[in-house]
Structures are given as structure tokens and as C-alpha cells.
Amino acid sequence: MAAFALAIPALLAVFSACMLPIPLGGGEGHPWGMAFDSAGNLWFAEAGCEPPSFCADDPEPGQIGFLAAGTFEPRFYTLPAIPENHPLFVAVAPDGAVWFTTPLNARIGRFDPVTQTFEQWPVTSGSGPWQLAFGGDGAIWYTERFASAIGRFDPVTRTHRDFQTPTRGSEPYGLATRGNKVWFTENQTGVGRIGVLDIGANNKFTEYTIRANPSPDLTPHMIAVDDAGIVWWTEGFEGHIGKLVPNQASPGECGSNSGTCDGVTEYDIPKSACGRRHGSGIVIRPGAGEVWFTDSLSGEVGRLRVATGKFQMFRLRSCDAHAHDGMAVDSLGRIWWAEEFSNELVRFAPPP
């Protein structure tokens, strides 16, 4: 028993040593989405305010941040000075261009790292373009949180098209693409569904119910798809990690009168000393059989081992760390996330 007691502080010291906070001094603050380019450089969005409600009185535009591979000195590129120009998420194109969303003024933007210039195009007014990713058709797909639709933006013609979700008022939030499928979460309280739009089947929608009787706290958040096509997501205030095996589920039906629906598993995130939970960012660590996630209210980052369904939680410096939606994995398997309120990025080398 004494040996075990001595081991705990040592383990905590190892975990702390694996975490490298990177202050973002000089930026506008409030980092959100992030993505790596092919050279291992990290790009991230800095909204400059807490969207959507607390950005209304902030006239300063946000920024796109850059962290060169192997360095810890961020650079920032300020967006054009147009109203409500606060970026949330980024995606890097094969040519190295950085694409981003600004939901409050309903625009899709592109930053050219070579010329260091911005371009932005309006999409449907009031649609709130949120998370974005490149699809198998080469287009940029994005959730329209304020319009309950999925948007498609053609990077060549600079035109857009909206696809209304079958469930009205769904408020799509997180989005992930794999092949010709665009997966997304339906974030609205009382909806609690996972949706997919099939590009290869004439843009057909399918929706999967998570639970027979969803609680008001079931607000699916960010989403990821693993190599086997299994879909994973965080559940916001519900404090679960969700998993969907599509070929075991019945689209549009639950298959059960209570509990989780066919093909769905929910894993309870362990309780936190910080109080209420909010599962936020999520990534799959390639080749490791691990799902990593952030909890923005508990000041923790967690690892779920797929084979066992067991959790391992890593406490950050305080309950107020607010590790949020921005999360990524680099080529060495290290986990990165954005801490919105402390204005930092964190790099974490997972212990074995």
C-alpha cells in the first residue's frame, strides 16, 4: 500500500512533465479550432472574443495563428476589418491554404500563407457557418449552426449550397468527413442525433438517434470518425463519449424503448472534483486504439481506450483551464488542444 501511495505523486509529475503550455501573447485571444498542414505546422483560429453572444460589442477582428513545426513562438495574421469578423475553425487545403469560418457574419474565408493575404465570401445570411472540413469531392463542407443545415462551398467557383437537415431546429455543430460521407452532430437540446450526408448518394441524409429518451443535457458536440468507420463524439453537458457503429444501427429508429439505441454505446466520463462536465473536443489517435477528448468545465483531458472502454483522465493546472473544441494530433502522436480562456495552446505527449 505504501509503494502505491508513493507511486501516485510520481505519476502525476510525469503527466505534468508531458504537458507543454504555449502562451499566445500578442494574439487577440480565445483560441478555438486548429489543424496541421502537411509540413507539421499548426494553424489555429483566434476569435478574439467568446462567441456568439459576447462578440457583439467587440469591433476588433480575430486572427489566424501559426506555430511552425518544432517552434514555440506563434505568429498571428489579423483578419480584414469588417464587422463581426471572428474566426472559429480552420481546415488546411492540399495546396497549403488555410480555410476558416466566421459564423457571426456568415462567411467562408481563405488565408494564403505565401502572400499572407485574406479572401472571404458570404454564404447564406444568418446561417452561422461553424466547423468545416474538406470532403471526398474536394469541396469544403461546414455545419450551419444557426440555420440547421449543412453547407457546401466550392473552392474553385466560390459558390455555396445549403442542405437542410431532415430534423428542423437541429443546430448542427461538429463535423467530420470520411470518403464521400459528411458526419455531423445535432446539438440542439431535445434532438440528440448524429447525422450523415452521403455525397456519393445524391447528397442523401441519414439521422441516427442516440437514446430513446434523451435528456435536456444531451447536446452532441464535436465528432470524429476512426479508420473502421466508427463514429465518436462528445456529449456536452451530458458527460459521455458516444460511439456509433453504423451497420448495427437503424436510421430514423431507436430499436429500443429505453436507454441507448441500436448500434450506439455511451461511455460515462469519470466524475471530476471540479464539478459539472462538458465534453468538448475529440480526436482519434492513429494506430493507438485511443479516443482523446477535452472537458472544458472540469479542466481535464481524457483518454478512452477503445478495446477496454476504460478511461484515463489528466488534470490540467486548474478547473478553469477550459480546454475547448480545438484539438488535434500531430505526426508523432502527441495531443494538442486550445485553452480558450487562458489564451494558450497545450502539447501533450501521452504516457504509456
Side-chain angles (χ1 to χ4, degrees):
M1 196 66 179
F4 179 76
L6 289 172
I8 294 300
L11 283 173
L12 291 174
V14 170
F15 297 162
S16 298
C18 294
M19 286 190 191
L20 177 65
I22 303 169
L24 298 178
E28 287 292 328
H30 293 274
W32 272 60
M34 59 174 63
F36 285 98
D37 64 22
S38 59
N41 304 308
L42 182 65
W43 295 89
F44 56 96
E46 281 212 346
C49 51
E50 167 67 356
S53 56
F54 295 104
C55 288
D57 298 325
D58 189 341
E60 297 297 323
Q63 297 172 317
I64 298 299
F66 172 77
L67 192 67
T71 71
F72 307 105
E73 293 293 331
R75 280 184 264 165
F76 300 94
Y77 303 93
T78 302
L79 269 64
I82 59 177
E84 300 182 304
N85 220 16
H86 306 288
L88 279 197
F89 290 96
V90 295
V92 183
D95 65 0
V98 182
W99 292 80
F100 57 93
T101 54
T102 52
L104 301 185
N105 60 18
R107 294 173 185 257
I108 299 293
R110 180 183 185 273
F111 175 72
D112 187 328
V114 177
T115 63
Q116 298 183 8
T117 55
F118 286 94
E119 292 180 277
Q120 290 179 265
W121 300 270
V123 292
T124 301
S125 178
S127 60
W130 210 256
Q131 170 74 320
L132 78 167
F134 283 89
D137 59 350
I140 297 167
W141 292 86
Y142 53 96
T143 48
E144 298 184 23
R145 192 178 177 202
F146 305 155
S148 294
I150 301 300
R152 180 187 187 274
F153 185 87
D154 189 318
V156 177
T157 64
R158 291 1 186 204
T159 57
H160 71 278
R161 181 181 174 187
D162 301 328
F163 299 87
Q164 191 75 42
T165 59
T167 298
R168 300 287 171 157
S170 60
E171 295 190 4
Y173 194 103
L175 179 144
T177 58
R178 187 166 187 82
N180 283 328
K181 294 188 176 181
V182 179
W183 291 90
F184 57 94
T185 58
E186 298 188 354
N187 182 249
Q188 174 68 322
T189 297
V191 175
R193 296 181 181 181
I194 301 299
V196 60
L197 185 149
D198 193 335
I199 303 170
N202 197 28
N203 300 315
K204 176 186 176 183
F205 273 106
T206 302
E207 291 176 313
Y208 296 90
T209 303
I210 296 172
R211 201 181 306 154
N213 301 294
S215 74
D217 283 341
L218 179 56
T219 52
H221 215 63
M222 300 298 283
I223 191 169
V225 185
D226 67 22
D227 290 339
I230 295 172
V231 185
W232 300 83
W233 64 91
T234 50
E235 293 193 354
F237 295 111
E238 187 75 4
H240 298 143
I241 299 298
K243 180 181 80 171
L244 169 69
V245 183
N247 61 11
Q248 296 178 5
S250 301
E253 300 178 4
C254 183
S256 174
N257 293 324
S258 62
T260 54
C261 300
D262 291 347
V264 175
T265 305
E266 291 179 300
Y267 300 88
D268 294 334
I269 301 174
K271 291 183 178 180
S272 168
C274 292
R276 200 175 188 194
R277 289 200 170 279
H278 187 279
S280 298
I282 191 167
V283 291
I284 309 296
R285 192 176 180 216
E290 298 172 353
V291 177
W292 285 80
F293 60 94
T294 57
D295 193 307
S296 60
L297 295 185
S298 74
E300 292 179 311
V301 170
R303 164 166 60 189
L304 171 63
R305 296 190 182 276
V306 176
T308 63
K310 301 296 184 182
F311 284 91
Q312 188 175 14
M313 305 300 295
F314 302 91
R315 175 63 55 80
L316 306 181
R317 285 154 297 169
S318 74
C319 296
D320 299 325
H322 204 77
H324 202 32
D325 291 349
M327 203 172 192
V329 186
D330 67 20
S331 60
L332 298 179
R334 295 174 299 195
I335 312 298
W336 295 71
W337 64 85
E339 293 190 8
E340 185 189 2
F341 297 152
S342 61
N343 196 28
E344 292 179 333
L345 302 180
V346 180
R347 189 192 74 184
F348 182 45

